[in-house]
Amino acid sequence: MPLIVVTTSPRVAPGLLSRRAWQVLEDGPVRTGSADHPHLPYLAEAGIAVEVVTPDPAALARQAREETVVWLEADEALMRSIGYAAVALEDPPVIEVVPGSYDLPGARLLDLVAVMDRLRTGCPWDAGQTHESLVPYLLEEAYEVLETIEEGDYAALREELGDLLLQVVFHARVAHDRADGFDIDDVAEGIVAKLVRRHPHVFADTRVEGAEEVSDNWETIKAAERAAKNGGDSGSVLDGVPMGQPALSLATQLLRRAERAGAPAVLPAEPAAGDLGARLFELVRQAHAAGLDPEAELRATARLYRDRVRAWETGGASDDA
C-alpha cells in the first residue's frame, strides 16, 4: 500500500487542484498536520473529510504498509523524516508524491508583493516612505546592477536585480496608498500591453526582415502613441527623454533620437567652440558616430584609473615600510 503525499503551492488559489490530486483526495482517507490549511474549506465543500493530526512519520510509514494513506501537504523536513522512517522498516511502503498545484514561472513575484504589503503596514520605516524619499535607493540599486554587469559578476547580478525589483514593487505599493493611485498589477498590465503593441511581428501578423526593421517599427509605433496622447500632435522626437539622467548618457540619447528624426549632426547657433560643455558634447557626438557608448567608455577608463591608484597605494605602502 502507498503513502500518497499531495503537495500544493501557496501561490495558487486554494481549491485549484490537478485532476489526479482530486482523485487521490476523494479516495482518502486524508490527513494533514495543518488545521488552517487553505484547501480545507474547499475539500469540505466537496464532501472530502480531512483529519487534522500531529505528524508522526514513523506511524505514517507503518500504517502505509497496511492501507493507503493520503497526506495533504508535507514540508521538506517532514518528507525527509517519513523517508527515513520508511527505509528503516523491513518492508517499506511505496511513497508517491502527487502535485496538486505547482508554481508557474513568475509565481515567486507573488511572495514579493505579499512581503511588501506586510512591510508597508507593519514596519514604521517602510510605512513612512514616499516616491520622493525612495529615489536615491532606486538610483543606487540601478547603478549596482550596472556595476555587476560591467564586472561580469553574474552571481552577484541575481541579488542586485532583486534589490532593483524591490524598488519597483515598493513604488507600486506606495502608489496603491494614494487616492488616485495604482498597484503592481496596473504596472504589469501597462508594460505587457506596451510590449504586445510594440511587437506586432510577434503578437500579430506583421512581417519583418531583421532587427533594424523591428527598431524602425518600434519608433513608428512610439510616434503614434505620442500623437494619441497629444490629441493628434506627434510632438517632438525628443519627448520623453529624461533630462535628469547623467550628462553623457543624456547627450547620447538626444543625439540618437535626433538622428532618427533626420536632424543634422551639427546645428546652427551652438555654443562657442571654447565652451567646455560644447567640447564635451562634441566628444559625445564623435563617440556616437563611431558607434561607441561614451558613458561606458568613460566608466571603463575611470575603473582603470581606480585600479592604478590602488596599485600605486599598495606600492607606496611597501616603499614606506
Side-chain angles (χ1 to χ4, degrees):
M1 294 293 179
L3 168 61
I4 304 176
V5 179
V6 177
T7 61
T8 62
S9 168
R11 287 164 288 280
V12 176
L16 298 179
L17 295 169
S18 66
R19 184 183 180 195
R20 171 63 177 153
W22 277 113
Q23 290 174 334
V24 167
L25 293 167
E26 287 171 349
D27 290 342
V30 183
R31 298 176 179 84
T32 186
S34 175
D36 58 353
H37 195 288
H39 285 270
L40 293 184
Y42 299 91
L43 296 178
E45 184 178 351
I48 299 174
V50 180
E51 182 182 2
V52 180
V53 299
T54 301
D56 185 338
L60 287 171
R62 288 194 301 270
Q63 186 177 3
R65 293 189 305 177
E66 308 298 331
E67 62 176 326
T68 298
V69 176
V70 180
W71 186 267
L72 177 60
E73 207 63 72
D75 58 26
E76 184 177 345
L78 178 57
M79 285 295 296
R80 188 163 47 246
S81 297
I82 292 175
Y84 291 151
V87 298
L89 297 174
E90 184 176 343
D91 182 21
V94 173
I95 300 177
E96 178 184 357
V97 177
V98 174
S101 59
Y102 49 88
D103 291 345
L104 294 174
R108 290 287 177 175
L109 294 175
L110 298 175
D111 292 346
L112 178 57
V113 172
V115 167
M116 191 66 252
D117 283 341
R118 182 82 177 271
L119 291 175
R120 186 67 174 170
T121 57
C123 173
W125 187 89
D126 290 279
Q129 299 309 303
T130 64
H131 293 301
E132 292 74 19
S133 69
L134 290 172
V135 166
Y137 304 103
L138 178 62
L139 295 174
E140 178 182 348
E141 300 301 350
Y143 281 123
E144 288 183 1
V145 168
L146 174 60
E147 184 173 6
T148 59
I149 294 175
E150 288 179 342
E151 294 181 348
D153 189 354
Y154 297 119
L157 179 60
R158 171 184 173 180
E159 179 180 353
E160 297 303 340
L161 285 173
D163 293 340
L164 183 59
L165 177 61
L166 170 61
Q167 295 305 309
V168 175
V169 175
F170 206 152
H171 276 279
R173 184 60 179 82
V174 171
H176 177 70
D177 294 334
R178 301 199 321 261
D180 61 340
F182 51 85
D183 60 19
I184 190 65
D185 288 315
D186 296 319
V187 173
E189 179 185 29
I191 188 59
V192 166
K194 180 183 292 186
L195 289 173
V196 171
R197 186 171 60 248
R198 294 186 182 179
H199 290 80
H201 56 288
V202 176
F203 300 101
D205 55 2
T206 298
R207 299 181 63 85
V208 295
E209 298 301 327
E212 184 175 350
E213 193 171 346
V214 170
S215 180
D216 291 341
N217 287 344
W218 180 283
E219 294 303 323
T220 300
I221 295 169
K222 284 179 64 176
E225 291 172 352
R226 287 196 301 270
K229 288 181 180 179
N230 299 327
D233 181 4
S234 60
S236 170
V237 69
L238 301 182
D239 289 347
V241 174
M243 299 300 291
Q245 63 182 301
L248 282 178
S249 57
L250 170 62
T252 302
Q253 189 172 3
L254 290 171
L255 285 167
R256 185 170 61 247
R257 292 278 195 98
E259 182 181 63
R260 289 173 181 167
V266 179
L267 295 173
E270 292 189 348
D275 180 76
L276 178 60
R279 284 183 285 147
L280 289 173
F281 195 89
E282 177 58 28
L283 287 175
V284 173
R285 180 158 42 212
Q286 292 174 15
H288 177 68
L292 300 174
D293 180 353
E295 182 80 19
E297 294 295 320
L298 183 56
R299 287 177 63 83
T301 301
R303 295 171 72 84
L304 178 61
Y305 179 73
R306 178 202 63 183
D307 294 341
R308 288 178 175 174
V309 169
R310 286 177 174 174
W312 172 82
E313 289 175 327
T314 302
S318 300
D319 293 340
D320 292 341

